Amino acid sequence: MDLTIKNGTVVTASEIMAADIGVKDGKIAAIAARIDGGAETIDAAGKYVFPAGVEIHTHLDGILHGMRTVDDWYVSSVGAAFGGTATIVDFPMPAKDQSLQGIVDEFTGRATGKSIADFAFTPIINRFTEDIYQEIPVLIDNGIPSFKLFMYYDWTVPDYELARLMDTITSHGGIVSVHCENAGTIDYLADKAMAAGHTGPQWHAPTRPLSTEIEASSRVIHVAEELNASVLIVHISAGPVVDLIARARARGVNVYGEAMPHYLCLDDSVYDRPGYEGMKGVCTPPLRPRENQKALWAGLRSGALSTIGCDHCAFPYKDKIRLFETRGKRIDMIPHGAPGIETRIPLLFSEGVNRGRISVTKFVEVSATNPAKLVGLYPQKGTLAIGSDADIMILDPEKEVTITQEGLHSNTDFTPYEGWQVKGYPVTTISRGTVLVRDCQLEAEAGHGQFLKRKRFEVF
Ligand code: DUC
Ligand code: ZN
Ligand code: ZN
């Protein structure tokens, strides 16, 4: 063996076992009660040995709201690795007239030589022209089976194209992720609020009410049901959407739901903070009243929600303030998003497993196994099995950390979790047998990460 991880508690989505893991040529070569020898040994006594996290919802080094996010692929992937994640699947947005393959190639160039995590892309479809429809089967054949649509923003998908894209993508073996918010209602409510002088951070949530997320999610579910399409509803903040998904899945609809730490852990009281502070919580959908959190945790437990992403979208606080000031002092004009790639797994473990809200196997399922399945990477990624990539996270369940912006690696100037205490933290992250982070110290060289060609989506 090249590497042996000994004495840990090995956890997959279905098993918990006291076992050693042997790694050879970047793959898991053995899992057994005792494996001796190996060029290198890591002692994981007292620790969990998990599949490394798979993150399938980020906006890295890309333009949204007329501003480029400030974390490039090196910074983002280092943060990811410190937070136990070794694979990132990002949402790049094509420029005007750029093909989907063109934006994937461009972003592959941005990540190559920088990312320490393996990477792939779910391209955003932001125009609905014949060339895009023709590209889709070619991309799926070329190992890019996932696509993203928005029901808000300037690139909102019209209903006709929503149906046609879901049908086209699914019938060729792909899956569609959809950002679900009713654009017309939000724009109207925002215009009405702004006209009444309601322009500050506390108006972010009331102008994007629960009903807009529920309506758009419901529409997507019904279209998917009609076309037997496979769809992932991303960043669910609204408790009632969990229920919609549960009922649809019970009817046999191939709809999956994505949770996120900020909706599980934070609530809309953030917007009542004094001055501009509330802008730190300006993301879409907005943070919701606390009672929604219960439904989201329950959704993870029941399987209505299949995965957890972070929506890492690194806009600094100072730029949110600057753009508020220079774009007419309107809260609807500031960039939406917050950093989260490094805190996803620590928060999920601490708030989820430690507080008894989810089991340790569920933790693996939603942070690694299901995200890998949703983007066509399983079982290469997302599990600990013979022949899988040796992407491993060792987590110390006793390690206590106070989250601070200074202690994280993002180029942003804030974390929404400043001062949060977490118990249980990733200490070592391994990618294809190479140690990225060891005992909370960076070891990887920039550029370790490789582009991942993926399989077609399989319903699960
Ligand atoms: N929501 C955010 O908060 N940021 C990026 C895009 C999105 O949908
Ligand atoms: Zn979104
Ligand atoms: Zn997003």
Side-chain angles (χ1 to χ4, degrees):
M1 297 293 168
D2 303 325
L3 170 67
T4 310
I5 300 167
K6 292 188 66 69
N7 309 317
T9 301
V10 173
V11 186
T12 67
S14 56
E15 275 184 288
I16 304 173
M17 52 197 150
D20 296 348
I21 293 187
V23 175
K24 180 101 187 110
D25 299 329
K27 304 269 186 206
I28 295 176
I31 304 175
R34 189 167 160 174
I35 303 170
D36 288 321
E40 191 193 344
T41 299
I42 294 176
D43 184 12
K47 305 200 174 74
Y48 283 116
V49 179
F50 292 130
V54 176
E55 170 59 68
I56 63 169
H57 190 142
T58 63
H59 304 270
L60 308 186
D61 201 7
I63 295 175
L64 282 167
H65 298 272
M67 189 187 159
R68 190 154 169 170
T69 53
V70 297
D71 286 347
D72 71 2
W73 277 85
Y74 179 69
V75 166
S76 305
S77 62
V78 167
F82 275 96
T85 290
T87 300
I88 303 171
V89 184
D90 185 65
F91 291 131
M93 168 112 72
K96 194 171 171 296
D97 299 332
Q98 190 175 29
S99 66
L100 299 176
Q101 185 65 57
I103 190 64
V104 169
D105 292 345
E106 184 182 331
F107 270 63
T108 300
R110 288 187 196 187
T112 302
K114 283 190 168 184
S115 183
I116 66 169
D118 284 351
F119 56 89
F121 301 98
T122 295
I124 294 170
I125 298 179
N126 58 352
R127 66 176 195 277
F128 311 100
T129 45
E130 290 310 310
D131 56 319
I132 296 291
Y133 282 99
Q134 276 157 25
E135 261 202 291
I136 287 166
V138 182
L139 256 73
I140 294 172
D141 278 347
N142 288 343
I144 302 163
S146 53
F147 301 84
K148 170 96 182 271
L149 299 172
F150 282 78
M151 297 167 87
Y152 189 81
Y153 296 113
D154 292 345
W155 50 96
T156 293
V157 60
D159 282 346
Y160 181 93
E161 311 296 344
L162 177 69
R164 186 177 170 198
L165 282 162
M166 277 194 193
D167 199 20
T168 305
I169 291 167
T170 299
S171 61
H172 287 94
I175 179 166
V176 195
S177 286
V178 190
H179 171 129
C180 295
E181 288 185 297
N182 179 309
T185 305
I186 290 170
D187 285 344
Y188 173 67
L189 289 172
D191 284 346
K192 195 171 160 188
M194 300 306 138
H198 300 150
T199 58
Q202 63 274 35
W203 290 94
H204 179 59
T207 53
R208 313 181 83 96
L210 278 175
S211 66
T212 57
E213 187 180 344
I214 295 166
E215 185 281 327
S217 303
S218 170
R219 201 178 342 150
V220 161
I221 288 169
H222 287 293
V223 177
E225 183 165 18
E226 191 56 44
L227 297 166
N228 197 25
S230 299
V231 65
L232 169 63
I233 298 181
V234 297
H235 51 42
I236 293 167
S237 68
V241 173
V242 178
D243 202 38
L244 291 178
I245 293 178
R247 283 193 275 137
R249 286 179 63 80
R251 303 195 293 277
V253 184
N254 298 329
V255 57
Y256 304 84
E258 180 188 55
M260 286 197 169
H262 39 294
Y263 303 118
L264 291 163
C265 300
L266 304 173
D267 64 50
D268 60 354
S269 63
V270 169
Y271 303 127
D272 297 328
R273 290 180 186 164
Y276 293 136
E277 277 289 309
M279 290 183 190
K280 293 179 179 173
V282 170
C283 56
T284 59
L287 304 174
R288 301 295 188 189
R290 182 162 284 268
E291 63 263 22
N292 289 277
Q293 293 174 3
K294 241 187 168 162
L296 298 174
W297 284 112
L300 284 172
R301 281 193 297 277
S302 72
L305 302 184
S306 301
T307 182
I308 182 157
C310 75
D311 214 350
H312 191 80
C313 193
F315 292 122
Y317 177 46
K318 68 172 173 10
D319 288 306
K320 290 183 181 239
I321 296 171
R322 176 177 60 82
L323 291 168
F324 181 78
E325 294 290 348
T326 57
R327 291 178 178 174
K329 294 195 187 232
R330 290 174 56 133
I331 196 61
D332 60 338
M333 298 304 284
I334 77 165
H336 300 150
I341 204 163
E342 189 164 354
T343 45
R344 178 182 71 128
I345 280 174
L347 286 164
L348 183 67
F349 188 86
S350 186
E351 291 294 310
V353 178
N354 262 349
R355 290 191 185 271
R357 290 166 166 143
I358 57 170
S359 67
V360 79
T361 51
K362 178 59 80 173
F363 166 85
V364 171
E365 185 186 323
V366 299
S367 66
T369 309
N370 284 350
K373 288 180 179 176
L374 284 162
V375 295
L377 280 173
Y378 182 85
Q380 179 188 353
K381 305 288 189 188
T383 192
L384 300 173
I386 310 292
S388 292
D389 283 358
D391 288 10
I392 299 166
M393 176 221 318
I394 302 174
L395 184 143
D396 180 352
E398 298 303 320
K399 188 174 171 67
E400 295 188 42
V401 172
T402 302
I403 296 175
T404 62
Q405 166 54 22
E406 253 180 46
L408 300 171
H409 295 82
S410 170
N411 286 331
T412 45
D413 53 4
F414 78 103
T415 164
Y417 308 101
E418 188 71 34
W420 273 62
Q421 313 274 340
V422 290
K423 185 171 179 198
Y425 213 89
V427 290
T428 294
T429 303
I430 296 165
S431 161
R432 287 180 278 104
T434 297
V435 176
L436 302 181
V437 169
R438 185 195 305 267
D439 296 332
C440 303
Q441 299 295 318
L442 183 65
E443 281 197 3
E445 299 280 333
H448 165 83
Q450 292 179 352
F451 175 76
L452 297 165
K453 221 175 147 166
R454 293 170 286 144
K455 299 186 306 178
R456 282 173 157 68
F457 174 70
E458 285 171 28
V459 170
F460 64 95

